[in-house]
Amino acid sequence: MLRLAVAAFALAFSSAAAATVNYAIDLTSPEHHSGKVRIVFPAGAAGTLDVKMPAWRTGRYQILNLANGVSEFAAKDERGRALPWQKVDKSTWRIQRAGTGPVTVEYDVYANELGLRSRHIDDSHAYLDASAVFMYSDANRADDVAVSLKVPTGWRSFSGLQSAGANRFTGANWDILVDSPIETGVNRSFAFKEGGRDYEVVFWGEGNYDATQTVADLKKIVAQAPSIWSSYPFQRYVWMIHATDGVGGATEHRNSTVIQIPRNSFQPREKYLRFLSTAAHEFIHTWNVKAYRAGAMVPYRYQEENYTDLLWLEEGSTDYFADQFLLRAGIMKPDEYFAALADAVEHYKRTPGAAQQSVASTSFDEWIAPSGDRATNAWSDIYAEGSMVSWMLDIALLQESGGKLSYRNVHDVLYRRYPSEQGKGFNAADVKAILAELTGHSWEAWWAQNVDAPAPVDFDRLLGSVGLRISYEDGDKTVPSKPWAGWKADQAEGGMKLTVVERGSPAWDAGFAPDDIVTAFDGGRVTKDRFEDALTERKAGDTVTVSYFRRDQLMQKTLKLGSIPKNKAKVVKVARATPAQKALYQRWLLTPYPAD
């Protein structure tokens, strides 16, 4: 078996076909998270050849400087003679060709970035996103590609690329390769058909997942696509599921996705539903982001930021549709869908930044998005607030059309009119034009108020239109409250270190700030267990003397407690829904209004 693998590896470079870029990676010594890459670029014009490693990867709008994994770079001509080269910027190697013949590039790549979903190699598998593994040349970006992997015995390889045999793949060009990650290693795989299409599900790692149930539920999820789009952009789709040792996240690709979950976080049901919601989100991205996307990202420019004011539509709208797929598939019960909706409402109400920054602005600034206190207080979020704006737009369309139009129609038009693989993309003006075309009137004022400015979300109106409402009540219809400071903290030496102080909260008004280490309330020592509990023993309006360290100096402030509802928000049915509310509910979610 090893002999065959070596032969296949060598064959990939025995005679580079014209207009084909041949890639190979040797993964037979994976213990140190590294692989040996070899690329043969075809014959070209004399002079210099620039080869590049992307500075970011799709699905994560952040400069990652992926060239930092490259070492032992070398370039050779077709006779194996060394070619001179120099690094001209952080991601570009400039090679001086000896003539017009093929150029071979070799380098080692270090791959220990599992959580970034860019590259990871160890003794059980390799996950290879080409943006972090395989260099490209602008001169050959449109050429077809062939990829060969030399792997340890027993490893199996999967990708959205076309298979050319065991551990070998082909693609029409580098853009296909870079959007078709490869999962190879010790894994379990399943296959199914749905709607005349082929699906593969690959599990790497052990965990508390039920593979059979997961595959069955994924089959139900993919069957929901026709509820939005009129056709499919793929014939074959691959799910890559990583059961990991802590990291989590997911990334969409043109006909595949990778989903990472800590290995024992597939159960209980609440966690499993979050996993399936992520799966639905990534599957929806196959259309929204991959098959159609903002023109500022068509084609992707991998050496720099790709700025657009529509990431809220690409990410937030995808989030908005995800749980609806689970509901329509019968996986999620109405009460579970309502609970997720209530969580989204709570998150919005406890994110002051949602009132500070528009979704258009946060889309453009996603490349420099902060975290922690700054993100909570000054920024909106392309996912959470993008989902809210999508919800508002959906209900507005449903209401004014009597249920004949919804936000789903907008996305189907985007899909049919702006196929990214044909080099087409859209901008905000195009989306507004589609809205006007569908409804017969301008949406400029709506857009200015809710997209280009922080959206004033009226939850009573949104939910009331479909026979639902927000409730904080106990069983006796009262709304109990609890004392509230408006901060979050992590345990630190000697006390609790503040991580977030919510804008407009009592703690904010008192002048507390992140990194303050709270040590005592009214002279009583603060511990992890007593940080929140000690305040709940007081009443709203009470004044607490807070001892804390700032810049290693002991200080005191008085904090006057406010109040918030004691119970978590719930989305519930109104007492007596009207026929119009029930009808709009059914057009909104494409499921019947819940029975009593």
Side-chain angles (χ1 to χ4, degrees), residues 79-98:
R79 297 184 181 180
R81 297 174 299 192
L83 294 174
W85 59 272
Q86 63 175 331
K87 195 88 176 284
V88 296
D89 63 39
K90 65 180 181 180
S91 300
T92 306
W93 289 255
R94 179 162 293 162
I95 302 165
Q96 185 65 51
R97 295 184 108 128

